[in-house]
Amino acid sequence: MTLTLAAALGVPLGAHGADALAARSLASPIFHNPWKSRTTPLWQEATNRYYAGELRESAQALEALLDADGIDEVGLRMDLAVVYRELGALSRSTEQYRRLTELLPTDPRVVEGYAWGLLAEGKAAEALDLYKKAAALNARDPWIPYGFALALERLEEEDRALAALQEAVALNAEFAPAWERLGLLYFREERHREAVNAFSRALRTDSSYTHLYFPLAQSYDHLDEVLEAWRYYQQAKRLYPSDPTIGSAFDAFVSRHRERLAEAERAVLDARRRLRHAQLEAPSPVDGDESGITVRVGLVEGADHIDLSAGGRFRAVDQANGSGSEWESELKSELKSLPGGVWRLELRQGRVHLASEGGEAFALDGREIRLTLDDSQTTWIALGLDAGSGYFWSREEDLQVRGDLIVLARPSGLTLVNELDIEEYLLAVVPSEMYPSMPAEALKAQAIAARTYTMRHLGRFSARGFDVMGSVLSSAYRGVDRETSRTTEAVLATSGEVLTHSGALIEAYYHATAGGMTAASADVWGGARPYLNAVGEWFSESERSERGPAIAQFPLTPAVLERWLRERPAVFSQGTGFGQASTFRWIVPVSADLIRDRVGERIGEVVAIVPRGRDIGGRLKSLTVVGTNGEAHVAGDVIRSRMGGLKSNAFTVMPLIGADGLPERFLFVGAGFGHGVGLSQMGAAGMAARGATVDEILSHYYPGATISPHYGR
């Protein structure tokens, strides 16, 4: 047995190990693979089978290596522990950690891994002793008091569990799962002020903890803080509309506080009457000419009514269908110039009704109504839009926009479309997608990527009346209120510039953060593209010079991958200082009941979540949810939503067994935010901070693509 891979597998380095690490060349990655140190093709085969989702075959290959001469037994058993756990063979996984504690009895990671294995099996008392030992070996890891608290909670020692959780957040104030458990324990003890504080800290640390909206609303309700309670009841109802418990509590709250809520709604309406519209400065593209390219942005579909605030007088052009196709229309009538202010559009018996708060009302027969402001330097505000529907960041917002509005009358309701010049559109997209304080070269990269994506997708939703969605399904579009001088400068400095490959516009996908390794388009949606292959978020040999070391050699073995997903390697998207740290690495607890509901109750109670294939960077391609009555298979990007609203598909999962012997909840430990394909926005910021230019950023994330002027025409 050799222990040469201790550093790669998380073993604390002694003096000799530290010297060896310091002596590594820039080309030597920190996260490397055990088979690289000697010829062990069977180990590489075991890893390949693991990524293919053939977990049983992977375990068999690893077991076959245990008796081989000169093999790294520590690395093998760590890999076996991960593979067996993912198979749902928890006792076999725990046995590997038990053997590891014999090999490395003073390694805190090994002892802690053994404790987590026992806790996952429901053996809380045995886990407790191991957590104590792990804490004695490493007093600074918040995972240890967190696991200790979960074991104590299972043993109904809640006072000691509270103390352990307080220790965990004292060690790391950004450790969201400990704040979550603190809040839930306080809530259970009816210590609602403390529960509010803990829930709020969890959500500030990780905004995906939306399952806390409901208990947070209830705590505010107990404290008689009605408006705060109302805010979170609404959010809980929006995100979990089919939950009967939330629904009944919501209705009861509204019944109890009807008068106070009506007063609050009146205050909202009064505020809308006082909305301030921006006085725009006309953007001046670098070449002095407008692009001539307009974009139709879908803002609302299927609405029974739409409320708008006009920043000045406007005209409504009623365009009725002609004798040709649906979108060949002729001017039927033009209403007089109407005053600014708040107007409501409603669909009544196939006709669009336009009514102001002042009492003016019109009925329009056309299926496409264009609303045009007399003064192009003012704006529209679409009121109370449902933003981020279906995502954990879903909310209601007022959206202020440039250009014209188009109202489409459809059998399913009203569709609202914003039509404007592509460069004006990008003025709002770039600051909606990126933090304006990010380095200028990163903002330029985003502008070029967004312009390319938009050009490529013009007409994509033409059957629905628009080109792109006003959400992250296309590009985030938060309107005029998000515009800043720095992002406007990035748009204008790159005006007309797009990315091409072999003379054609590329599919310029982008996402928040890759977490260290991007994904190939073929692995996420199918369809290989040479410029959308997986790339590491560190400088390649051709880029490196002396700017930074290689970080990893993918594919990582199962145990090294787990370490990669839990730790914070020094890649481009790490430590940029923008947004929540939980966009890079995150831990999300999800109840087994929620997962059962998301995949279908027909499977019965959830028994295990089994990966069925990963891409080279560790993102899951598919998984199987095993239940007491059957199985559900989930594949592709929807894995995130089906597993309760995760940030990405790059995760490992640990079950926590309840009193009935079945998983009560699952801990998802993951990396990155988004689908992972193309430009990593945090990575672009990290590259720019290291001195990379816009050309270098785009070449890194879209290898082989070229920046072309004049919209690639």
Side-chain angles (χ1 to χ4, degrees), residues 613-631:
R614 295 179 183 271
D615 70 9
I616 191 172
R619 287 177 178 80
L620 282 165
K621 296 181 182 180
S622 64
L623 58 78
T624 298
V625 181
V626 180
T628 53
N629 296 333
E631 298 180 347

Side-chain angles (χ1 to χ4, degrees), residues 445-657:
Q446 176 62 67
I448 294 170
R451 185 179 293 109
T452 307
Y453 179 91
T454 305
M455 287 285 297
R456 175 83 182 224
H457 288 264
L458 287 176
R460 179 182 178 187
F461 301 102
S462 59
R464 291 157 67 178
F466 46 85
D467 297 310
V468 294
M469 303 283 286
S471 70
V472 293
L473 290 173
S474 294
S475 297
Y477 180 59
R478 304 289 295 280
V480 170
D481 293 331
R482 283 300 182 100
E483 294 180 17
T484 71
S485 59
R486 294 191 80 244
T487 52
T488 293
E489 182 180 349
V491 172
L492 299 183
T494 62
S495 180
E497 293 183 352
V498 293
L499 289 162
T500 60
H501 185 273
S502 300
L505 291 167
I506 73 166
E507 288 278 14
Y509 293 111
Y510 43 86
H511 58 282
T513 174
M517 186 77 174
T518 70
S521 61
D523 289 326
V524 178
W525 303 299
R529 297 175 177 85
Y531 51 83
L532 290 179
N533 286 322
V535 297
E537 291 197 286
W538 53 87
F539 291 111
S540 66
E541 285 293 335
S542 61
E543 298 166 330
R544 185 177 302 132
S545 181
E546 295 299 319
R547 291 194 287 187
I551 303 297
Q553 293 174 333
F554 284 90
L556 305 173
T557 67
V560 181
L561 175 63
E562 185 169 84
R563 176 180 169 236
W564 168 267
L565 294 173
R566 179 166 157 172
E567 297 194 0
R568 308 182 75 82
V571 295
F572 296 147
S573 55
Q574 151 65 359
T576 62
F578 299 102
Q580 294 177 319
S582 61
T583 60
F584 181 70
R585 291 292 184 271
W586 40 266
I587 309 142
V588 178
V590 182
S591 73
D593 288 345
L594 178 59
I595 292 171
R596 179 201 62 208
D597 293 345
R598 292 284 176 94
V599 301
E601 294 186 12
R602 62 177 179 78
I603 70 168
E605 300 301 318
V606 178
V607 174
I609 298 171
V610 182
R612 294 301 185 195
R614 295 179 183 271
D615 70 9
I616 191 172
R619 287 177 178 80
L620 282 165
K621 296 181 182 180
S622 64
L623 58 78
T624 298
V625 181
V626 180
T628 53
N629 296 333
E631 298 180 347
H633 303 283
V634 186
D637 209 31
V638 298
I639 288 173
R640 292 190 279 163
S641 60
R642 297 289 173 82
M643 293 301 103
L646 306 179
K647 293 188 177 76
S648 81
N649 282 3
F651 60 80
T652 60
V653 58
M654 179 180 295
L656 294 172
I657 304 300

Side-chain angles (χ1 to χ4, degrees), residues 116 119 122-125 127-128 131 145-165 177-189 589 656-659 664-665:
W116 276 105
L119 184 60
K123 298 176 180 178
L128 212 56
Y131 280 122
Y146 176 62
F148 189 67
L150 296 182
L152 287 167
E153 191 179 346
R154 177 71 188 278
L155 296 170
E156 299 183 354
E157 296 186 41
E158 293 194 352
D159 288 343
R160 292 179 66 197
L162 280 170
L165 290 168
W179 285 116
E180 181 228 29
R181 293 315 297 175
L182 265 176
L184 292 171
L185 286 178
Y186 285 138
F187 181 82
R188 196 181 302 164
E189 295 184 359
L656 294 172
I657 304 300
E664 181 179 62
R665 60 187 181 278

Side-chain angles (χ1 to χ4, degrees), residues 48-84:
N48 292 340
R49 287 185 176 273
Y50 171 78
Y51 280 82
E54 300 169 359
L55 300 186
R56 293 187 186 281
E57 293 80 0
S58 177
Q60 289 168 2
L62 291 169
E63 291 276 10
L65 276 168
L66 282 173
D67 295 328
D69 292 334
I71 202 68
D72 184 344
E73 186 178 354
V74 169
L76 277 176
R77 291 199 182 279
M78 285 189 166
D79 280 351
L80 273 168
V82 172
V83 175
Y84 278 136

